[in-house]
Amino acid sequence: MDIVLATRNKKKVEEMSRILGGMDINILTLDDFPSCPEVEEDANTFEGNAVKKALAITKCTNKIAVADDSGLEVYALNGAPGVMSARYAGEGADDVANIGKLLSEMKDIPDEQRGARFVCCIALAYPNGKTETFFGFAEGRIGREPRGRMGFGYDPVFYPAGYEVTFAEMSPEEKDALSHRGNALEGFKKYMKAHYSEYKEI
Ligand code: IMP
């Protein structure tokens, strides 16, 4: 069975493929469907964006589509950067700029108030328009300077709860076991196993 991942982000494809590795699923990406349109992430929730992307891609490919939307919520910043995580420092901002803005916004926030969580919503859309969503969370705190070179995004400043190292200092396998995307994908995987008879014909 084919599933199209609604992303061109290579790190996300690697991470998702690794987690879905044990299943009888042929993973395709948007690079296999160059004519599919870019979908604008203009919803104000992670779920809204994930469902919008998955529906657009199943419509364009006629295959089951999986999209995710994820980001970082800092409690002391009332949930920012939230759905703006990828472009917190402006449209087209890179990870270094986004982290720079976050650390500067948080410079006066004391250590005990630097709690944050990563959120991931995965949406599955079938060609008939049916959708399912799966959520995952990773609780932790924001450090004061970037540490580590693994991962992507805000990983160098995110310390998962109970750890003294950032996500960027962990191996991919260690991060998968704790991450919001790992948690959401576990729910997705359980669902796929339980509903095999529905999707194997598609
Ligand atoms: P999107 O899900 O592609 O819209 O990306 C959301 C943004 O949230 C990314 O560009 C990162 O800045 C951030 N983000 C999401 N997941 C992670 C993660 O696992 N580590 C670090 N940053 C993340």
Side-chain angles (χ1 to χ4, degrees):
M1 176 193 84
D2 293 339
I3 280 191
V4 188
L5 298 184
T7 185
R8 291 193 166 89
N9 177 330
K10 287 206 165 38
K11 295 239 173 183
K12 273 195 187 174
V13 174
E14 273 170 33
E15 200 172 33
M16 285 215 192
S17 308
R18 205 166 51 241
I19 291 169
L20 293 177
M23 295 184 72
D24 181 21
I25 291 175
N26 180 32
I27 295 175
L28 303 170
T29 74
L30 284 185
D31 288 336
D32 299 302
F33 299 94
S35 61
C36 283
E38 282 299 327
V39 182
E40 207 186 333
E41 295 186 19
D42 55 2
N44 56 10
T45 61
F46 295 115
E47 185 172 17
N49 282 326
V51 168
K52 183 180 177 190
K53 279 189 282 185
L55 280 173
I57 301 308
T58 194
K59 194 168 170 201
C60 169
T61 61
N62 211 31
K63 292 184 182 296
I64 296 177
V66 176
D68 84 327
D69 195 36
S70 55
L72 179 70
E73 293 182 338
V74 177
Y75 300 119
L77 299 178
N78 295 318
V83 290
M84 299 298 290
S85 292
R87 52 207 143 111
Y88 192 39
E91 212 56 56
D94 63 9
D95 292 343
V96 173
N98 286 330
I99 288 177
K101 171 158 183 190
L102 181 69
L103 292 179
S104 126
E105 296 282 327
M106 293 183 69
K107 69 180 181 326
D108 297 327
I109 298 178
D111 289 352
E112 64 281 8
Q113 286 169 32
R114 297 177 74 88
R117 67 176 185 180
F118 277 119
V119 182
C120 175
C121 177
I122 293 176
L124 173 68
Y126 291 86
N128 68 5
K130 184 182 158 199
T131 61
E132 298 283 344
T133 52
F134 309 89
F135 279 88
F137 302 91
E139 296 286 341
R141 65 182 204 284
I142 304 299
R144 293 200 174 266
E145 59 189 35
R147 295 186 63 143
R149 295 177 163 269
M150 309 286 283
F152 67 99
Y154 297 90
D155 281 348
V157 291
F158 184 82
Y159 289 80
Y163 289 80
E164 295 304 319
V165 290
T166 67
F167 265 173
E169 295 177 290
M170 293 184 165
S171 69
E173 292 73 19
E174 282 173 304
K175 180 184 166 187
D176 289 348
L178 301 173
S179 86
H180 49 308
R181 193 166 302 102
N183 289 336
L185 277 167
E186 278 308 312
F188 168 63
K189 217 160 120 173
K190 277 197 191 122
Y191 171 90
M192 293 301 277
K193 282 186 176 155
H195 291 77
Y196 184 75
S197 56
E198 276 172 46
Y199 66 71
K200 72 177 178 192
E201 308 296 341
I202 298 175

